[in-house]
Amino acid sequence: MSERQVENYLREYLESIGWEMLNKPRRHGQHGIDIKARKTRWNRYLYVELKKDSKHASVRQTNINSALGQIMIQMDKKGNIPNSSRIYALGFPKTMQRLFINKFCGSHFGFRQLKLRTYWVSKSGEVEELAYSQLLRLSQQCN
């Protein structure tokens, strides 16, 4: 699943639940956050970094690491603290979820600090949204 497909489905999903898109899809080679959205009702801003899937395991790992680094660069000093106006998230194809959770299992402390929301997009366009607290519960199945 390409990054563009993940982005298109996720944008549709976010708009359907009341988020207003603040940026257009980027062209190939452009840098910056993939999705910027606002929910004026709650004075919240959402920043999402997206990555595509690959048939190569090493590329899949690299995509996860890259997404983590890119979203961390976008964080302000308040990060993802409760009641902050900013929410930071990652979006991936659903096929990468197990790999991400396994990475999460080995890095509980770091992920607790980041409090990232994740979006998992299926090939049919369905989106599953997981808060970091839900990822913590899922990661308990690792051991």
Side-chain angles (χ1 to χ4, degrees):
M1 187 172 201
S2 73
E3 190 170 313
R4 177 71 68 191
Q5 289 170 310
V6 173
E7 182 173 7
N8 290 342
Y9 285 137
L10 187 51
R11 282 179 179 275
E12 280 180 28
Y13 169 76
L14 292 171
E15 287 176 332
S16 77
I17 59 171
W19 288 95
E20 171 192 356
M21 295 298 116
L22 298 177
N23 67 334
K24 295 187 185 312
R26 297 176 303 137
R27 290 189 307 264
H28 184 70
Q30 287 184 308
H31 300 286
I33 203 77
D34 295 310
I35 295 177
K36 294 177 189 175
R38 175 178 56 203
K39 205 170 238 190
T40 52
R41 180 177 173 200
W42 298 327
N43 192 32
R44 295 269 195 259
Y45 291 86
L46 176 65
Y47 299 87
V48 187
E49 182 60 38
L50 305 168
K51 290 297 172 201
K52 66 180 180 177
D53 201 351
S54 173
K55 58 184 172 186
H56 304 289
S58 62
V59 174
R60 297 171 97 211
Q61 283 285 358
T62 300
N63 285 349
I64 290 172
N65 293 340
S66 175
L68 287 166
Q70 288 173 335
I71 200 68
M72 287 170 54
I73 289 168
Q74 298 297 326
M75 288 184 171
D76 64 7
K77 66 181 180 180
K78 293 181 183 177
N80 252 357
I81 62 170
N83 302 318
S84 170
S85 64
R86 293 179 175 217
I87 299 167
Y88 298 94
L90 300 173
F92 295 106
K94 178 83 171 163
T95 53
M96 292 177 65
Q97 190 174 43
R98 178 53 40 206
L99 181 65
F100 185 86
I101 290 171
N102 288 342
K103 180 175 243 358
F104 190 90
C105 290
S107 307
H108 281 274
F109 178 77
F111 281 103
R112 280 194 177 117
Q113 301 305 308
L114 294 174
K115 295 179 176 57
L116 291 172
R117 182 176 296 186
T118 56
Y119 294 98
W120 302 98
V121 182
S122 73
K123 287 181 181 179
S124 64
E126 294 175 29
V127 176
E128 178 185 12
E129 182 176 346
L130 293 176
Y132 82 99
S133 57
Q134 292 169 294
L135 280 172
L136 281 173
R137 282 193 292 278
L138 282 174
S139 71
Q140 292 173 355
Q141 302 167 7
C142 293
N143 297 333

